[in-house]
Amino acid sequence: MTDSYSAAGVNIAAATRAKDLMAAAVRATHGPAVLAGMGAFGGCFDATLALAGLNAPVLVASSDGVGTKTLVAAALGRYDTVGQDLVNHCVNDILVQGARPLFFLDYVASAKLDPEQIAAVVGGAAQACQAVGCALLGGETAEMPAVYVAGAFDLAGTIVGVVERDAMLPLPNIAAGDAVLALPATGLHTNGYSLARRIVEAGEGYAARPAILGGQSLGEALLAIHRCYLDEVAALRKAVTVKGLAHITGGGIFDNLPRILPEGLGADIRRGTWGIPPIFTYLVEQGQIAEHEAYHALNMGLGMLVVIPADAVEAALAAVPDARHVGSISDQSGVRLV
C-alpha cells in the first residue's frame, strides 16, 4: 500500500492556498523595518529603525489566545473578527506596561485547513495590526486532525512592543485616594466564553434575538470585537499622569486590578457608575450568575481600568469622554464592589 500525507489527513496544498489568500493582507502591514516576513523561516525586524530616538528602550512581549470564542465563530460561520480580537487583546496587554506594538506573530491550527477560513482569520489580524501600526511579521498554520475535532480551530499570537524605561507602567507611587477610571468594553472581549456558551447553547441559541439586545442576535453580541485602547491611553497620558493600567481579562476586576497595586492597597469600585452592555445583563439573568462570579469570570463592561491622581479626573474625562470615574484606590487590600 502506498501511503501519503494527505491520506493521513494533512493537505499541504490547502496550506499553500491559505498562505496565497492571506499574502496581500499580511504584506500591507509591513513597513521599512520588516526585512523578512511571510515566506521566510523567521521574521526579521530592523530594530535600529523601530527604536530610533529612544534613549533606553525596553522590549515588552506577550502571548495569548481568544479561547473558546473560536467555537462561537465556528458556530456562526464567521471568521473575520477573531483575528482582530487576538491582536487587540495582545496590544492591550503590553499597553498596560506602557508599550506600543512593533510586530505580531499568529498561530492558527485546525483539524482540517479551510483556506478561505484561515485567510479570513489572518486577514482580521492583519486589519487590526494595520490599525495600530504593527507589522504582522509572520505566523504558522497547522493541520492536526488527531488533535482537534472537525470544525474547531485554535488561535493564538505573540506580540512584541517597546517602551522607554522611564515611561514604564505601573508607577511605584500609586496610593490610597487615587482615582480609578474605566474605559468601556464592547462586550465579553476574549474571556468568559465557556460560561457564555454554556448559557446560550442550553437556552435560546446563537440565532435568538432577545429584546434586551435591541435587535442584535446573541451570536452577534458574543462576537463583538475586543476593543483596543491604544489611542485612548495615548490621549490620557498626554492629558494627565497615568499611574497604572489594568486590562480586565480572565479573572475580572478581582484578579487583574491587584496585579498593578503596591502591597497592602486595594480598590473600591462603585456600582452604577458605568454602563453595563446588555449581553452581560442577559447572561447574568439567564445563567442566574452570582454577582461575585459575574465580576470574576466576565469584564462586565470594564475593559481597561486606569489609575490616576484624584485631582486629574476632570482633565482625564475631557481627554477621553467615554471614560468613566468608577472608583478609588483604598488602603485595604482586595477589590470591592461598593
Side-chain angles (χ1 to χ4, degrees):
M1 180 184 71
T2 301
D3 218 333
S4 68
Y5 213 5
S6 59
V10 179
N11 188 337
I12 296 175
T16 301
R17 173 163 168 74
K19 291 172 186 174
D20 290 342
L21 290 173
M22 69 178 78
V26 172
R27 290 180 179 133
T29 71
H30 293 176
V34 177
L35 305 182
M38 193 169 178
F41 283 93
C44 299
F45 194 83
D46 188 342
T48 60
L49 291 177
L51 308 184
L54 298 180
N55 296 315
V58 174
L59 296 179
V60 182
S62 182
S63 292
D64 221 308
V66 299
T68 59
K69 192 171 186 176
T70 58
L71 293 176
V72 181
L76 271 65
R78 184 177 177 186
Y79 303 98
D80 60 327
T81 62
V82 287
Q84 296 177 66
D85 291 320
L86 178 64
V87 172
N88 291 346
H89 182 129
C90 289
V91 169
N92 289 341
D93 276 353
I94 64 168
L95 183 59
V96 163
Q97 290 171 284
R100 61 176 173 86
L102 295 176
F103 58 84
F104 187 81
L105 300 105
D106 62 5
Y107 174 82
V108 190
S110 62
K112 181 178 177 60
L113 283 182
D114 178 328
E116 284 72 20
Q117 172 189 316
I118 300 300
V121 171
V122 177
Q127 180 181 339
C129 281
Q130 243 187 323
V132 297
C134 176
L136 182 48
L137 193 58
E140 176 68 3
T141 56
E143 191 170 44
M144 297 187 287
V147 175
Y148 296 98
V149 299
F153 69 101
D154 195 15
L155 178 62
T158 297
I159 196 165
V160 174
V162 65
V163 59
E164 281 276 24
R165 187 162 185 165
D166 62 5
M168 290 182 70
L169 297 174
L171 301 183
N173 63 343
I174 294 176
D178 285 339
V180 179
L181 304 185
L183 300 176
T186 48
L188 275 67
H189 285 183
T190 48
N191 295 97
Y193 279 86
S194 293
L195 175 60
R197 286 175 39 249
R198 176 184 173 92
I199 294 167
V200 172
E201 290 174 4
E204 297 183 277
Y206 296 115
R209 298 179 183 273
I212 194 172
L213 297 186
Q216 191 179 41
S217 74
L218 286 167
E220 290 165 347
L222 291 175
L223 283 187
I225 295 169
H226 192 134
R227 181 172 174 175
C228 177
Y229 298 104
L230 188 65
D231 291 342
E232 290 83 357
V233 169
L236 285 172
R237 296 193 82 178
K238 284 182 181 178
V240 302
T241 298
V242 171
K243 292 187 172 187
L245 299 165
H247 188 199
I248 308 305
T249 55
I253 59 171
F254 298 121
D255 288 358
N256 287 290
L257 184 52
R259 293 167 68 179
I260 68 165
L261 301 180
E263 188 174 353
L265 296 185
D268 294 326
I269 303 299
R270 297 191 302 273
R271 297 179 181 89
T273 54
W274 73 95
I276 298 176
I279 184 61
F280 294 107
T281 304
Y282 176 87
L283 293 172
V284 168
E285 291 178 353
Q286 291 296 310
Q288 299 180 24
I289 307 171
E291 182 182 64
H292 187 276
E293 177 67 10
Y295 282 86
H296 198 209
L298 307 168
N299 69 58
M300 295 302 289
L302 302 168
M304 179 80 80
L305 295 183
V306 187
V307 180
I308 63 171
D311 61 4
V313 170
E314 186 175 346
L317 297 181
V320 180
D322 72 344
R324 295 291 179 267
H325 182 195
V326 299
S328 59
I329 301 301
S330 166
D331 59 7
Q332 300 178 49
S333 61
V335 175
R336 291 160 296 279
L337 286 166
V338 299

